[in-house]
Amino acid sequence: MSASLDKGVAVLKEMIDAPIASYFESCVHCGLCAEACLFYTETGDPKYTPIHKLEPLRRIYEQEYTLLGRLAKLVGLSKPVTDDELEAWKELVYNSCTLCARCSLVCPVGNDIVYMVRKFREGMAVSGHAPDGLIGAVTRTIEIGSPMGVKLPAVQAQMKHVQDETGIEIPMDKEGAEYMVMLSSMEIMNFPEYLGAIAKIMKQAGKTWTLCSTAFEATNAGIQIGVSDLAKVIVNRIVEGAERLKVKTVISPECGHAYTALRWDGANLIGRPYTFKVLHILEVLDEFRSQGLLKTEGFETTRMTFHDPCQLGRRGGVVEQPRNLMNMVTKDFVEMDDPGKYNWCCGGGGGVSANEEAEELRLEVFKIKKRQLENVGAKTMVTACANCRIVLEEGLEHYQMDIPVVGLTELIAEHLAPDK
Amino acid sequence: MNEVELLNWVRGPGLNIAIGIFLLGTIWRLFEIYSLGRKKDLSAPRHTAGASGWNTIARRSLAPPGMLKRSPISYIGGYVFHVGLAIVVFLFAPHIELIENLFGLSWPALPSQVVDLATVVTLAAMVLVLVDRINKPVKRYLSTVEDYFTWAVTFLPVLTGYMAVKHLLLPYTTMLALHILSVEILLVVLPFTKLFHVFTLFMSRWYNGQANAHKGVPV
Ligand code: SF4
Ligand code: SF4
């Protein structure tokens, strides 16, 4: 047994709690979870059955925590988990799982399978079986500040650009502001419109807000890869920034995993509740809408549909808000099949989009989105996650579908009523 | 040992041993699993109507949207054989009598013709889900010896019970003895195989429902 394998197994032993034990004990091998997972439905390959992705973890559970399993291990009936086996499982745990959690919604005995995949990744990463692409993303976030290597000067350049374009001042490190706005590198690099949209919306709502020079990046690849220690370092930056600036609310950007990391995992990583609130930008916009602080004019007339980012809808509980906002600015809003919490993943979540080894498979499973889109005949796709957006764009391009993908926040900003 | 001795053994010591192993095994297994505990979630909860552990315990008994169409045999076969088993085990007059003798509890039985029908339907549904397990690539891929073994130990009590009542193949006494024996085997293996899901599934649903309810998602 190698030292890293030892460590990995030790981590996994620690990860196993009563829910995981209960889930493994409950599984009846009905295979229904496969029917919920796009990696199975689009390939037909049974190895992509969600619960099968956890087989090494199940064996460790059995061998370490059950009487019969311990006996079987003692007399050599049950083989210990090996490095080769974990290496073979890398494809299943990382390349073919987006942590979308659709499987957790259908298992008839109630297993929260994604919860287990997430924990399994902790042991995989420690034992050295995480994909290089993800390792790079985490290292860059820790060392430079963002997974794509974006540094503060890039943000400042963008602030200036937006200021020049909109004539609105972009506040940085303003103490006591109500909102602290986070960005994702994707937005800084690829969707500069986001920052401008926020500036306009905040101005219209009359709210104070700020960026934070020590914590502008919300993406947390530590969560995706499964290294809690690193995830904690990243979250801590944001917590320190928010507490230093004494803001009331931190706004998670249009990035699903950033939201999950900040909204749900963060407090558990740092071991205490936050002193501030965390909201996704769509929650903030919907709040403004219901308070009459968000005024729009005009409607899009082309047929549009909304892609629920998994981490926002199914994993985050933000389902109504995007619909309210869509209806504010579109006339022909159509829902794809299985909207809201049952939505099908874009195929690039959970670090899959940062993982080159997974690219071919990702494009193959995109067939599900293609079908969904064709069924409703939407001409524009709206979403609220910069990662989904890139993945959707790539998928659409691959299948030669001429459908633009836009962020909901920008769409709203485009329809803001001018100042009186 | 002749059939009368066998019957006496399975009705006496055999039954006691089986119930003993079943009870102790169940308690041990529940302890083994749930004593592992879990950490408290420190993130601020979101509240949504219909999202809770209890809701999920109930809701997961129904097929989520689109799933029935994707895997009809799993659902229909599954419902029929689970409900069928419940009818046969708990609503057959002689079983109720036995339970009354053992624990002093009793309730009305279904007419024996109805139980007969339920038995046949249950057996048929079980054969159907077995065929499905062998035919469907995913199910076959996931299946281990345990899946076939647990199927058999569940099937045999129903089959032998039916054959005893209908006086098929073997003399009644022998068949009855085999029936009771097969039930005892079922009781003994239940805590140590996937059949244990009869207990754990409620907690699994609850954990899943509760964790997601914390995020405001009714699952
Ligand atoms: S759906 Fe649930 S019970 Fe069925 S195979 Fe998957 S994890 Fe096991
Ligand atoms: S979380 Fe999503 S991608 Fe991962 S196994 Fe479950 S259904 Fe498949």
Side-chain angles (χ1 to χ4, degrees):
Chain A
M1 211 190 225
S2 70
S4 59
L5 178 65
D6 259 349
K7 270 195 223 151
V9 171
V11 166
L12 289 177
K13 274 170 70 176
E14 217 173 287
M15 288 292 137
I16 293 167
D17 55 6
I20 293 187
S22 186
Y23 298 153
F24 280 137
E25 294 292 350
S26 301
C27 177
V28 290
H29 285 173
C30 66
L32 288 171
C33 47
E35 306 293 341
C37 177
L38 70 171
F39 290 93
Y40 169 74
T41 60
E42 303 313 300
T43 64
D45 190 335
K47 74 174 176 186
Y48 295 130
T49 303
I51 195 71
H52 176 66
K53 296 172 185 171
L54 295 158
E55 185 53 21
L57 181 65
R58 189 194 64 80
R59 292 233 312 286
I60 291 174
Y61 157 67
E62 202 176 73
Q63 293 170 0
E64 300 295 336
Y65 293 108
T66 71
L67 187 63
L68 286 188
R70 276 197 290 248
L71 281 175
K73 189 180 164 195
L74 212 64
V75 299
L77 274 177
S78 172
K79 289 173 285 137
V81 171
T82 63
D83 259 319
D84 287 346
E85 187 180 355
L86 292 185
E87 189 58 23
W89 247 264
K90 179 161 130 182
E91 196 227 339
L92 301 179
V93 183
Y94 288 103
N95 303 12
S96 64
C97 179
T98 59
L99 303 179
C100 82
R102 221 173 167 272
C103 49
S104 293
L105 249 67
V106 309
C107 170
V109 299
N111 291 351
D112 192 351
I113 302 166
V114 72
Y115 175 82
M116 300 196 274
V117 176
R118 168 71 188 80
K119 301 264 180 177
F120 189 20
R121 284 187 178 187
E122 295 273 345
M124 288 291 277
V126 170
S127 56
H129 299 288
D132 297 337
L134 269 174
I135 297 174
V138 186
T139 323
R140 281 189 298 277
T141 315
I142 298 289
E143 286 167 6
I144 304 173
S146 95
M148 290 168 81
V150 176
K151 294 186 192 168
L152 187 59
V155 180
Q156 285 162 332
Q158 214 189 82
M159 284 167 62
K160 181 157 180 331
H161 175 79
V162 174
Q163 249 156 235
D164 291 347
E165 209 182 75
T166 59
I168 306 173
E169 191 215 329
I170 307 292
M172 171 74 96
D173 289 336
K174 199 166 90 191
E175 236 188 81
E178 182 164 1
Y179 296 100
M180 173 168 131
V181 171
M182 307 292 305
L183 303 167
S184 72
S185 327
M186 288 275 200
E187 279 153 348
I188 305 169
M189 305 289 281
N190 301 324
F191 306 116
E193 308 88 354
Y194 180 76
L195 191 58
I198 296 285
K200 287 186 214 156
I201 291 166
M202 287 293 181
K203 184 163 178 246
Q204 191 197 56
K207 297 285 185 183
T208 55
W209 66 290
T210 182
L211 292 174
C212 171
S213 61
T214 53
F216 49 85
E217 167 66 68
T219 322
N220 194 327
I223 295 282
Q224 297 168 339
I225 193 176
V227 186
S228 285
D229 298 348
L230 301 182
K232 181 177 164 183
V233 172
I234 302 171
V235 163
N236 243 330
R237 256 182 219 158
I238 302 172
V239 174
E240 277 164 18
E243 291 180 352
R244 176 169 58 86
L245 297 177
K246 303 189 184 69
V247 296
K248 281 208 198 76
T249 302
V250 172
I251 302 182
S252 173
E254 291 201 349
C255 169
H257 284 278
Y259 180 65
T260 284
L262 194 57
R263 176 68 176 88
W264 307 113
D265 291 337
N268 296 306
L269 288 168
I270 63 169
R272 67 171 167 90
Y274 294 156
T275 53
F276 49 88
K277 254 186 16 189
V278 174
L279 291 176
H280 187 269
I281 179 66
L282 293 194
E283 292 178 272
V284 177
L285 294 184
D286 194 47
E287 224 170 79
F288 289 178
R289 180 197 60 84
S290 64
Q291 295 163 354
L293 299 174
L294 183 67
K295 291 185 208 72
T296 57
E297 59 175 29
F299 292 93
E300 299 285 331
T301 49
T302 51
R303 174 165 291 195
M304 292 191 168
T305 190
F306 182 75
H307 165 81
D308 288 274
C310 306
Q311 302 300 320
L312 193 59
R314 180 161 47 243
R315 298 297 278 163
V318 181
V319 172
E320 283 302 310
Q321 294 89 334
R323 273 129 194 119
N324 295 341
L325 296 166
M326 283 297 285
N327 286 326
M328 250 183 124
V329 293
T330 63
K331 275 267 189 265
D332 192 6
F333 167 42
V334 284
E335 293 276 20
M336 289 179 278
D337 298 335
D338 305 323
K341 68 178 178 186
Y342 286 110
N343 184 42
W344 292 86
C345 181
C346 65
V352 171
S353 63
N355 177 356
E356 271 168 38
E357 293 160 37
E359 188 173 323
E360 208 187 310
L361 185 61
R362 165 162 67 84
L363 289 169
E364 192 181 344
V365 302
F366 191 77
K367 285 185 300 191
I368 178 75
K369 289 280 33 139
K370 179 173 181 278
R371 265 203 315 280
Q372 284 194 296
L373 266 173
E374 284 166 353
N375 284 347
V376 292
K379 295 282 174 285
T380 300
M381 208 167 189
V382 185
T383 191
C385 166
N387 187 56
C388 288
R389 198 164 157 190
I390 297 256
V391 172
L392 292 168
E393 280 175 351
E394 280 180 22
L396 291 166
E397 194 187 310
H398 180 80
Y399 289 100
Q400 285 152 15
M401 295 168 78
D402 190 17
I403 296 178
V405 186
V406 298
L408 183 47
T409 307
E410 287 157 47
L411 186 67
I412 294 287
E414 273 167 31
H415 286 273
L416 277 192
D419 306 332
K420 298 272 148 57
Chain B
M1 199 187 263
N2 62 28
E3 63 271 12
V4 177
E5 283 164 355
L6 178 65
L7 184 61
N8 283 336
W9 187 84
V10 295
R11 274 187 164 159
L15 188 63
N16 289 335
I17 295 170
I19 292 183
I21 295 179
F22 171 75
L23 288 178
L24 288 176
T26 298
I27 292 168
W28 171 253
R29 297 284 283 131
L30 289 175
F31 173 76
E32 202 169 65
I33 297 163
Y34 297 105
S35 65
L36 285 170
R38 68 177 171 148
K39 288 204 186 111
K40 192 173 176 288
D41 193 336
L42 297 171
S43 62
R46 180 204 301 283
H47 299 284
T48 302
S52 77
W54 295 106
N55 272 291
T56 300
I57 290 182
R59 197 180 293 122
R60 272 314 151 96
S61 299
L62 304 173
M67 290 298 287
L68 188 62
K69 221 165 90 196
R70 283 195 153 271
S71 202
I73 299 182
S74 305
Y75 283 102
I76 298 170
Y79 282 133
V80 170
F81 102 73
H82 280 94
V83 173
L85 278 178
I87 293 177
V88 173
V89 173
F90 294 112
L91 297 176
F92 183 46
H95 292 167
I96 298 175
E97 247 170 71
L98 175 74
I99 293 170
E100 190 173 8
N101 289 339
L102 285 173
F103 307 107
L105 285 169
S106 109
W107 52 83
L110 278 179
S112 67
Q113 297 93 317
V114 178
V115 177
D116 278 355
L117 181 69
T119 313
V120 175
V121 172
T122 304
L123 289 170
M126 285 195 73
V127 170
L128 185 70
V129 296
L130 178 68
V131 171
D132 196 37
R133 179 168 290 289
I134 296 165
N135 269 340
K136 254 199 158 197
V138 167
K139 291 191 201 255
R140 190 170 59 231
Y141 187 79
L142 291 179
S143 298
T144 61
V145 178
E146 190 187 317
D147 291 290
Y148 297 104
F149 172 71
T150 48
W151 180 90
V153 298
T154 313
F155 188 76
L156 283 177
V158 190
L159 182 69
T160 51
Y162 186 74
M163 289 169 79
V165 171
K166 294 286 162 194
H167 299 271
L168 295 172
L169 208 62
L170 293 175
Y172 177 73
T173 320
T174 317
M175 202 44 108
L176 183 63
L178 289 179
H179 172 60
I180 300 174
L181 186 65
S182 67
V183 173
E184 288 164 4
I185 293 172
L186 175 66
L187 284 176
V188 169
V189 304
L190 190 143
F192 307 102
T193 58
K194 74 164 188 183
L195 296 175
F196 202 53
H197 77 273
V198 298
F199 293 110
T200 56
L201 92 102
F202 297 101
M203 275 308 282
S204 294
R205 287 179 181 182
W206 189 83
Y207 279 138
N208 187 351
Q210 203 267 342
N212 282 290
H214 185 87
K215 301 177 171 185
V217 184
V219 295

